[in-house]
């Protein structure tokens, strides 16, 4: 049984630390998911890709800060075409809707589970190029195109899926992979009302719109994305 504190990203004591080879930055992940990831990394290497992790477990507080910073204009917000959006001209409600296309509502992020990873092929980046984590990087002719084809063919073999694989309510994220077996254990324990109640305990002005968004789209969130 996964606890509320675990699926909300409040308690990470059940997770293990890991690093990309040759890097000092530490990540956290659920043990079975990490084992599967390492097998995927080894296979990717055989196919010429240096698969690295850009993001793994993300706490509630970290996700909350990301959304809060975007709402306050401290972080960039992209539109559905991944172009920079000027949110200063939008109402608070529309700001939140724009932010939530590519940033999960705190408490509802799959990155809280420890089963999901944002990945990339380090050796496919040009020297000095910055990783953007945009779908444009996976378009034909771009540097991650071949890597994306590899993922499409290989992820299922190692128990992974790409939960954000459509251009729909949520942004298309070909770099986001999830170890389904472990993720489903978390999802089966997930209580949407408990998650909403916890989020409502915060008084930032955008929270009420985020809660409204979850309530309006909960069937799609838990159907298309969480498989519940």
């Amino acid at each position: 049984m996964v606890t509320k504190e675990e699926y909300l990203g409040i308690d990470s004591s059940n997770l293990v630390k890991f690093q990309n080879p040759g890097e000092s930055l530490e990540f956290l992940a659920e043990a079975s998911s990490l084992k599967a990831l390492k097998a995927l990394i080894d296979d990717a290497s055989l196919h010429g890709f240096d698969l690295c992790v850009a993001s793994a477990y993300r706490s509630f507080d970290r996700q909350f800060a990301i959304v809060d910073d975007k709402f306050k204009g401290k972080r960039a917000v992209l539109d559905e075409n991944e172009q920079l959006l000027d949110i200063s001209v939008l109402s608070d409600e529309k700001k939140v809707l724009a932010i939530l296309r590519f940033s999960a509502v705190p408490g509802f992020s799959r990155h809280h589970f420890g089963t999901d990873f944002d990945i990339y092929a380090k050796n496919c980046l040009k020297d000095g190029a910055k990783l953007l984590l945009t779908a444009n990087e996976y378009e034909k002719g771009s540097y991650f195109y071949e890597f994306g084809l590899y993922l499409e063919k290989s992820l299922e073999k190692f128990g992974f899926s790409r939960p954000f694989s459509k251009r729909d309510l949520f942004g298309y994220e070909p770099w986001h992979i999830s170890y389904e077996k472990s993720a489903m254990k978390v999802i089966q324990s997930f209580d949407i009302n408990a998650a909403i109640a916890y989020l409502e305990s915060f008084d930032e002005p955008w929270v009420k719109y985020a809660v409204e968004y979850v309530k309006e789209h909960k069937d799609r969130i838990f159907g298309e994305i969480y498989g519940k």
Side-chain angles (χ1 to χ4, degrees):
M1 184 72 176
V2 179
T3 69
K4 179 181 75 172
E5 288 74 22
E6 288 170 345
Y7 65 68
L8 290 181
I10 301 169
D11 178 10
S12 61
S13 61
N14 61 315
L15 306 180
V16 295
K17 296 178 181 179
F18 72 98
Q19 298 165 294
N20 288 321
E23 297 182 6
S24 59
L25 181 63
E26 287 188 332
F27 299 96
L28 292 175
E30 185 269 334
S32 297
S33 304
L34 180 57
K35 182 178 179 180
L37 177 68
K38 288 180 176 178
L40 176 64
I41 289 172
D42 290 343
D43 188 74
S45 180
L46 294 176
H47 288 80
F49 301 107
D50 182 11
L51 192 159
C52 291
V53 172
S55 181
Y57 168 80
R58 192 179 303 142
S59 70
F60 178 95
D61 288 345
R62 178 60 176 158
Q63 189 66 26
F64 193 96
I66 289 172
V67 174
D68 194 55
D69 282 351
K70 288 187 174 183
F71 184 80
K72 294 174 179 176
K74 296 178 181 180
R75 283 175 174 259
V77 177
L78 303 182
D79 65 16
E80 61 183 6
N81 297 312
E82 298 183 323
Q83 299 300 308
L84 189 63
L85 182 64
D86 179 9
I87 65 168
S88 67
V89 300
L90 302 178
S91 66
D92 284 354
E93 181 178 10
K94 289 186 176 180
K95 284 181 185 178
V96 173
L97 293 177
I99 291 166
L100 297 183
R101 177 170 290 278
F102 288 107
S103 295
V105 176
F108 295 85
S109 173
R110 291 183 69 114
H111 279 289
H112 296 335
F113 300 171
T115 62
D116 287 43
F117 308 91
D118 292 340
I119 61 172
Y120 67 104
K122 188 175 183 178
N123 61 317
C124 293
L125 274 174
K126 294 181 180 179
D127 290 343
K130 181 181 178 182
L131 178 66
L132 301 175
L133 289 181
T134 64
N136 291 331
E137 294 176 301
Y138 289 79
E139 295 293 333
K140 190 170 184 178
S142 195
Y143 37 87
F144 290 150
Y145 176 70
E146 296 295 336
F147 178 58
L149 294 180
Y150 163 76
L151 293 177
E152 187 174 337
K153 294 177 182 178
S154 305
L155 286 178
E156 187 175 353
K157 179 169 58 176
F158 296 94
F160 287 96
S161 68
R162 288 198 277 194
F164 303 103
S165 58
K166 302 176 183 178
R167 297 179 186 272
D168 195 5
L169 175 64
F170 309 97
Y172 173 48
E173 297 186 358
W175 60 86
H176 183 131
I177 66 172
S178 176
Y179 185 58
E180 283 297 308
K181 184 178 180 179
S182 293
M184 285 308 301
K185 290 180 181 178
V186 181
I187 291 164
Q188 287 165 3
S189 298
F190 199 102
D191 183 339
I192 186 171
N193 292 320
I196 289 174
Y198 185 70
L199 181 59
E200 285 180 321
S201 69
F202 296 85
D203 59 5
E204 276 71 7
W206 55 266
V207 167
K208 65 178 181 180
Y209 299 113
V211 169
E212 289 172 4
Y213 172 92
V214 170
K215 290 179 177 178
E216 179 180 355
H217 298 294
K218 64 181 180 180
D219 289 341
R220 295 178 72 181
I221 292 172
F222 284 86
E224 296 177 21
I225 302 304
Y226 288 169
K228 191 171 182 179

